[in-house]
């Protein structure tokens, strides 16, 4: 059965996408979400093969009529993906979709013959994976300082490293935070609900931009609100949105992406395949979050870093716990994660400094770490009760006030720290090639951490201050 936090997150994302019936996968294990009743295929001949094969399979074995299998979107788009309806998405519940599973099985023989992937679920790509990002933001006092603190250095428009953040949009008052004075981009949609309460994930993109600017002041940061709806978007739309972002702003030096999904496979996401192939034609470096499932299962697009040809084009980033010595309990891990950076209890700008804003917690903390760790991790500290808790014992959800800075945890935030490290290296070494800077940075790195028994590169900014934690358990 899916973990409690994943079920809560399913409820949150479904609420933000009311017109898209969703299911958990695989089965009810709670590794990813996907659109019910629909599969994806590449445009053209492959879409025709998928359509014909699925139609024959279902009319022969499932008793469906031929017209129930049909394309439900334009046949051509920039990402080269077609949605094919294989069942009524309104049938059944969210525990799985037998029709989609049947469509995948029907194409398995054809995929074996061609050696090429032909069909896929339409996954939900999200900043909220199981642990939503690693926790929810926590207020800090008025006298608190950013961590990482602002590095020395000035912003020089002539040499600044271009960074494109694909995330939620910018809070309306972000410009009152000094580090974000040069940041531009999309505004966050609907920052607060009708009662003036901050919506979940609002400030996520602002927080990320502030971390990049703190580690690397000489950056030109653009934030695009691709993930404004509860931090979630369908895979069929995500590739198109990535193309829109780079078409609008040009290919930057670095893309910071704190979103993704697992899919039960080791060959990437069909919906972003065209974008990833085009990425190889540009010098841009994609820095992507490894995800917060506490799992070794590949998480995409970050896991492209382990695929042939993408070694220099993609940097996948996991999260270290507060002391920087071990992996955070929630961080995904494995050989496909190429570097780790601080990602637990970082302090940065959730909003500007104009007006305090209330926030009501969506998820409750646990009595103990849900991954079995014994240090004081974000699973159970600091304690709070949330709206979506299913145990019925939390009572009234906790409300807090944010006045600019906050602490937040997740691979979402380890990622912009790594982006800042690459950008700072480019400025310090007058290096204009971000992929070469990535190699140089990792080759020169002398800091390491222990993650699930592995000795891994740790990217620790000079201005980052470790946060003390209790002694590690055997699970670290």
């Amino acid at each position: 059965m899916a973990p409690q936090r994943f079920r809560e997150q399913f409820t949150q994302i479904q609420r933000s996408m009311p017109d898209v019936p969703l299911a958990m996968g695989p089965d009810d294990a709670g590794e990813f979400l996907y659109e019910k009743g629909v599969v994806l295929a590449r445009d053209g001949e492959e879409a025709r093969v998928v359509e014909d094969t699925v139609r024959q399979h279902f009319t022969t074995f499932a008793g469906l009529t031929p017209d129930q299998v049909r394309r439900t979107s334009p046949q051509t788009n920039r990402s080269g993906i077609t949605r094919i309806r294989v069942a009524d998405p309104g049938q059944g519940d969210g525990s799985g979709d037998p029709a989609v599973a049947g469509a995948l099985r029907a194409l398995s023989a054809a995929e074996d013959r061609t050696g090429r992937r032909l069909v896929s679920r339409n996954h939900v790509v999200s900043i909220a994976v199981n642990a939503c990002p690693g926790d929810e933001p926590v207020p800090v006092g008025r006298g608190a300082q950013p961590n990482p603190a602002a590095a020395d250095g000035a912003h020089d428009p002539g040499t600044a490293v271009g960074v494109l953040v694909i995330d939620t949009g910018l809070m309306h008052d972000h410009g009152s935070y000094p580090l974000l004075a040069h940041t531009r981009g999309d505004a966050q949609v609907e920052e607060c609900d009708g009662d003036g309460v901050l919506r979940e994930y609002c400030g996520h993109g602002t927080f990320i931009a502030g971390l990049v600017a703190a580690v690397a002041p000489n950056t030109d940061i653009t934030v695009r609100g691709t993930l404004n709806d509860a931090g979630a978007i369908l895979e069929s739309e995500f590739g198109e949105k990535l193309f829109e972002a780079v078409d609008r702003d040009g290919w930057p030096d670095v893309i910071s992406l704190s979103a993704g999904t697992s899919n039960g496979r080791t060959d990437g996401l069909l919906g972003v395949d065209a974008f990833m192939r085009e990425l190889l034609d540009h010098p841009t470096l994609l820095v992507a979050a490894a995800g917060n499932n506490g799992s070794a299962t590949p998480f995409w697009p970050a896991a492209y870093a382990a695929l042939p040809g993408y070694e220099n084009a993609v940097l996948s980033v996991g999260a270290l716990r507060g002391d920087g010595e071990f992996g955070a309990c929630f961080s995904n891990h494995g050989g496909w994660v190429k570097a780790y950076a601080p990602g637990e209890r970082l302090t940065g700008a959730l909003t500007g400094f104009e007006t305090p804003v209330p926030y009501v917690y969506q998820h409750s903390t646990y009595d103990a770490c849900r991954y079995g760790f014994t240090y004081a991790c974000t699973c159970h500290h600091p304690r709070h009760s949330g709206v979506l808790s299913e145990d019925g014992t939390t009572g009234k959800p906790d409300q807090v006030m944010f006045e600019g800075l906050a602490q937040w945890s997740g691979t979402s935030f380890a990622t912009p720290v790594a982006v800042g490290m690459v950008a700072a290296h480019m400025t310090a070494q007058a290096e204009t090639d971000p992929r070469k800077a990535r190699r140089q940075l990792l080759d020169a790195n002398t800091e390491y951490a222990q993650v699930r028994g592995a000795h891994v590169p740790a990217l620790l900014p000079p201005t980052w201050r470790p946060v003390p934690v209790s002694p590690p358990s055997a699970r670290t």
Side-chain angles (χ1 to χ4, degrees):
M1 178 178 287
Q4 177 182 325
R5 182 64 63 92
F6 189 89
R7 297 196 305 273
E8 293 170 6
Q9 203 54 38
F10 176 89
T11 300
Q12 175 71 14
I13 291 177
Q14 184 67 89
R15 190 167 64 191
S16 75
M17 305 171 73
D19 299 326
V20 182
L22 299 177
M24 298 181 190
D27 303 317
D28 191 25
E31 291 185 11
F32 50 77
L33 303 178
Y34 63 98
E35 184 182 14
K36 291 176 61 180
V38 168
V39 295
L40 302 183
R42 294 181 184 87
D43 293 334
E45 178 62 19
E46 289 190 13
R48 187 194 64 76
V49 170
V50 170
E51 209 172 353
D52 291 347
T53 303
V54 172
R55 182 179 290 113
Q56 180 181 10
H57 172 84
F58 279 160
T59 54
T60 302
F61 300 105
L64 300 183
T65 59
D67 64 354
Q68 288 180 282
V69 179
R70 62 182 184 275
R71 303 186 190 197
T72 61
S73 64
Q75 296 183 20
T76 58
N77 51 49
R78 182 76 179 278
S79 61
I81 292 300
T82 294
R83 293 169 69 252
I84 299 176
R85 177 177 166 176
V86 298
D88 180 358
Q91 293 181 347
D93 58 24
S95 61
D97 190 336
V100 168
L104 299 180
R105 289 194 299 271
L107 269 298
S108 60
E111 290 183 330
D112 289 342
R113 287 195 304 272
T114 63
R116 179 174 169 87
R117 187 177 184 187
L118 299 176
V119 66
S120 166
R121 293 179 174 90
N122 192 14
H123 301 88
V124 174
V125 178
S126 175
I127 64 175
V129 185
N130 198 341
C132 119
D135 64 354
E136 293 176 82
V138 177
V140 295
R142 278 186 174 271
Q145 297 298 311
N147 186 24
D152 293 335
H155 176 263
D156 175 13
T159 62
V161 177
V163 177
L164 174 61
V165 176
I166 305 293
D167 208 85
T168 64
L170 291 163
M171 300 297 281
H172 76 280
D173 57 353
H174 73 277
S176 58
Y177 184 61
L179 290 176
L180 295 178
H182 304 289
T183 299
R184 65 186 181 95
D186 299 329
Q188 169 68 48
V189 177
E190 293 184 304
E191 294 181 4
C192 297
D193 64 18
D195 297 321
V197 176
L198 192 69
R199 291 188 180 277
E200 193 175 18
Y201 309 123
C202 284
H204 194 265
T206 302
F207 198 92
I208 285 170
L211 292 173
V212 174
V215 178
N218 193 30
T219 45
D220 281 333
I221 303 170
T222 302
V223 179
R224 291 298 169 211
T226 304
L227 299 165
N228 268 328
D229 291 336
I233 188 172
L234 287 173
E235 179 183 340
S236 57
E237 301 171 9
F238 188 53
E240 202 72 13
K241 291 292 186 181
L242 291 174
F243 275 122
E244 288 178 9
V246 295
D247 288 346
R248 179 175 179 179
D249 302 299
W251 286 85
D253 294 310
V254 184
I255 295 175
S256 180
L257 178 61
S258 293
T261 181
S262 58
N263 64 352
R265 296 182 62 107
T266 59
D267 56 357
L269 293 177
L270 206 59
V272 301
D273 181 65
F275 178 84
M276 295 303 296
R277 283 187 281 109
E278 189 159 328
L279 173 69
L280 295 179
D281 296 330
H282 298 270
T284 298
L285 173 67
L286 173 62
V287 183
N292 305 317
N293 288 337
S295 169
T297 300
F299 184 81
W300 309 97
Y304 277 93
L307 294 187
Y310 290 96
E311 302 91 339
N312 293 319
V314 181
L315 176 61
S316 49
V317 185
L320 300 175
R321 68 182 198 182
D323 61 6
E325 296 181 8
F326 296 89
C329 70
F330 52 78
S331 181
N332 284 350
H333 51 91
W336 56 273
V337 183
K338 300 305 179 181
Y340 291 76
E344 191 174 66
R345 298 196 176 99
L346 300 181
T347 302
L350 185 70
T351 68
F353 290 94
E354 291 184 358
T355 306
V357 59
Y359 179 72
V360 176
Y361 281 104
Q362 300 296 300
H363 305 278
S364 300
T365 48
Y366 295 75
D367 292 334
C369 174
R370 59 186 177 277
Y371 301 108
F373 288 70
T374 60
Y375 77 98
C377 66
T378 58
C379 294
H380 59 94
H381 179 79
R383 304 287 294 176
H384 50 251
S385 298
V387 173
L388 297 173
S389 177
E390 297 181 352
D391 61 15
T393 63
T394 58
K396 185 178 180 180
D398 292 335
Q399 178 172 306
V400 293
M401 297 292 293
F402 286 107
E403 302 181 67
L405 297 183
Q407 281 190 343
W408 215 343
S409 303
T411 60
S412 280
F413 312 121
T415 296
V417 171
V419 168
M421 293 283 283
V422 172
H425 179 89
M426 292 177 68
T427 296
Q429 303 298 322
E431 177 57 67
T432 59
D433 184 337
R435 297 183 184 179
K436 186 179 293 185
R438 171 203 179 277
R439 293 194 302 272
Q440 293 170 351
L441 180 66
L442 291 178
D443 288 345
N445 179 66
T446 59
E447 300 288 348
Y448 291 87
Q450 293 290 325
V451 176
R452 310 279 179 148
H455 200 50
V456 301
L459 300 179
L460 307 179
T463 61
W464 171 73
R465 303 180 305 277
V467 179
V469 298
S470 60
S473 72
R475 287 289 302 278
T476 55

